Amino acid sequence: MMNTGSGLLARLRKILAPALFGPPMLAFLPALSLATYWLGGEVALLAVALGLPVLIVATGGFARFGGNGMPHDSVTGMVLRDGFEKAAEQVFEECSASNLRAAIFVIELDDYRALTDRHGQEAGDRIMQHCGSQITSVLREGDTVARIGDSRFGVCLSPTLQLDLELCIQLAGRMQAAAEEPVPLDGTTVYLSSSIGFCQRHRAPGNTTTDWISAATAALAEARSNGPGGIRAFSTDLPSRGNTRSNLREEAADALEAGHIQAWFQPQICTDTGRISGFEALARWSHPVQGLVPPSTFLPALEEAGLMDRLSQVMLYNALVAIKAWDEAGVHVPSVGVNFATQELRNPGLAARVKWELERFDLAPERLCVEILETVMTDQPDDTITRNITALSEMGCRIDLDDFGTGHASIAAVRRFSISRIKIDRSFVMKADQDPEQQKLISAVLSMAERLDLETLAEGVETTGEHALLAQLGCGHVQGFGIGRPMPFDQTLDWITAHQAKLQDTPAIGRQRP
Ligand code: C2E
Ligand code: CA
Ligand code: CA
């Protein structure tokens, strides 16, 4: 806790700093001097001339530029990108002139945007502060840590004689564990995951510091594309990801038409029986050069291009083809979840198209689970969205309320839209077996669901501990890396066979319930 005096000073700084250091101040400085002279004469002019620098010092104006003249981040106190580049440049040159070694690491919090949406910007700042000091705590004195993006830190190690790949991986693991240390926030605990890319100085392509930093950033992109919590070293065969925004939009649009964006399938299982209750279809772009591109990269591009509706057609088609194929192979997959974004739900022809597709494939509507984000219901859905969801549920499709707990859907809305199941967001599930607060939240959601006669599924289940706890608390279904990662259709049959064999050999976790 801050004491009142320093709290007041901090608030004063926050209010005055933008006015004192912003461009308007520079513009008004001559006018201010003249006005002071006219109104108060030489004495007043002297007072302002001496008083203003004192005020700037008191509000921390010079501190923002740190000892090396580089601006610092007001939240973490770290140097920003410019300071990082300068520090990296020095290390780069020092290594060039000797046989010393160094490495740059770029660390990104995976869910920062979602966290600030949910808890607010102030909480986001606290999280970055916490992570920053955690990362710093595992480094040595001379190493540079900088805030190089909203949710990104850059680390440049100071030159050393011994630094091989193994050591870098170990260090990345230590930094990741430090960054992921849970953050206490307003009486609850926030769990984080982070991805890290790094590049050793002697492996950097090109001859400039910029090349070195870009290489570490490319490694980070690769780490992120392999799911949250990844660590990747730079190597020359990493796919290049130097896409500009408009390039990406065009490329994503072409990829969608060329069939390079396809559904991958992640299994969902019933906690009672251990049997497969369904799969969720998740979009993946198999890029010929960049490898697998995750939806967080291309969905915004498709959204900008107005192509979300087209994506839902592709995903629906892929999902129905998959159900048919599983049926023909004689394996029982009750339903497949397809995600529909707001833009797709605004299409007045959506319900009719889904009906037509189901009939074309001769599939019962309950085989399709329509996943709608909880936020769709809280953003005052327009009439078309309401009509679409109602029509789909009346037709017999199942409706899953996605990311439950991140929006504020009312019980009335849950009822009105005939939701069949709520998908408890991953943020409630993380470390639930170790944190009584998480357990309380999950229990509250589960008892509400039971009263309303809704089914439940927990997302992002990564460990057997989480799985066992959710089963014990009475959550109906689970989905997550701990059960199975999203996979291309071709791999699903093998996964199903292996899962069924496992079920026969061992008692499933969920069967412990009385
Ligand atoms: P979502 O609908 O909440 O999907 C679950 C996301 O969590 C998926 O990320 C999945 O890969 C990831 N996930 C699953 N299990 C775990 C776990 O145990 N741990 C962690 N850390 N993550 C796990 P993905 O595939 O990257 O998709 C991200 C989001 O993109 C989805 O979130 C969904 O909102 C959106 N999305 C994906 N495919 C489509 C699509 O076809 N249409 C639309 N409209 N949105 C899509
Ligand atoms: Ca979903
Ligand atoms: Ca979700």
Side-chain angles (χ1 to χ4, degrees), residues 50-132:
L50 295 176
L52 205 58
V54 172
L55 188 61
I56 292 177
V57 169
T59 48
F62 294 123
R64 280 163 32 104
F65 293 89
N68 56 3
M70 286 292 167
H72 282 56
D73 174 36
S74 60
V75 171
T76 57
M78 293 173 173
V79 283
L80 297 165
R81 191 161 190 107
D82 285 353
F84 184 65
E85 282 170 4
K86 194 168 171 188
E89 178 90 52
Q90 274 168 9
V91 172
F92 189 88
E93 274 159 22
E94 214 176 310
C95 290
S96 307
S98 63
N99 60 352
L100 293 174
R101 296 201 158 182
I104 282 179
F105 297 76
V106 185
I107 305 156
E108 172 130 37
L109 293 188
D110 292 319
D111 299 313
Y112 184 74
R113 274 262 297 278
L115 286 169
T116 51
D117 284 352
R118 187 159 149 217
H119 299 283
Q121 188 52 51
E122 214 169 301
D125 287 351
R126 290 244 290 286
I127 291 169
M128 285 306 279
Q129 242 166 13
H130 186 265
C131 284

Side-chain angles (χ1 to χ4, degrees), residues 324-344:
K324 270 296 203 208
W326 287 319
D327 284 357
E328 272 157 30
V331 293
H332 184 55
V333 176
S335 68
V336 174
V338 176
N339 293 282
F340 287 88
T342 314
Q343 213 183 74
E344 298 147 89

Side-chain angles (χ1 to χ4, degrees), residues 224-244:
R224 282 170 66 75
S225 80
N226 285 297
I231 295 179
R232 283 288 180 283
F234 175 80
S235 78
T236 38
D237 47 4
L238 269 192
S240 89
R241 291 174 194 266
N243 252 323
T244 64

Side-chain angles (χ1 to χ4, degrees), residues 23 26 36 59 70 88 90 95 108 119 132 143 181 198 203 272 277-278 281 287 319 348 362 366 370 398 403 453 506:
L26 289 179
T36 314
T59 48
M70 286 292 167
Q90 274 168 9
C95 290
E108 172 130 37
H119 299 283
D143 301 333
E181 191 62 29
F198 68 88
R203 288 185 189 267
D272 260 347
S277 43
H287 193 285
D362 194 21
E366 66 264 22
V370 175
R398 302 171 52 77
D403 294 358
D453 212 11
T506 50

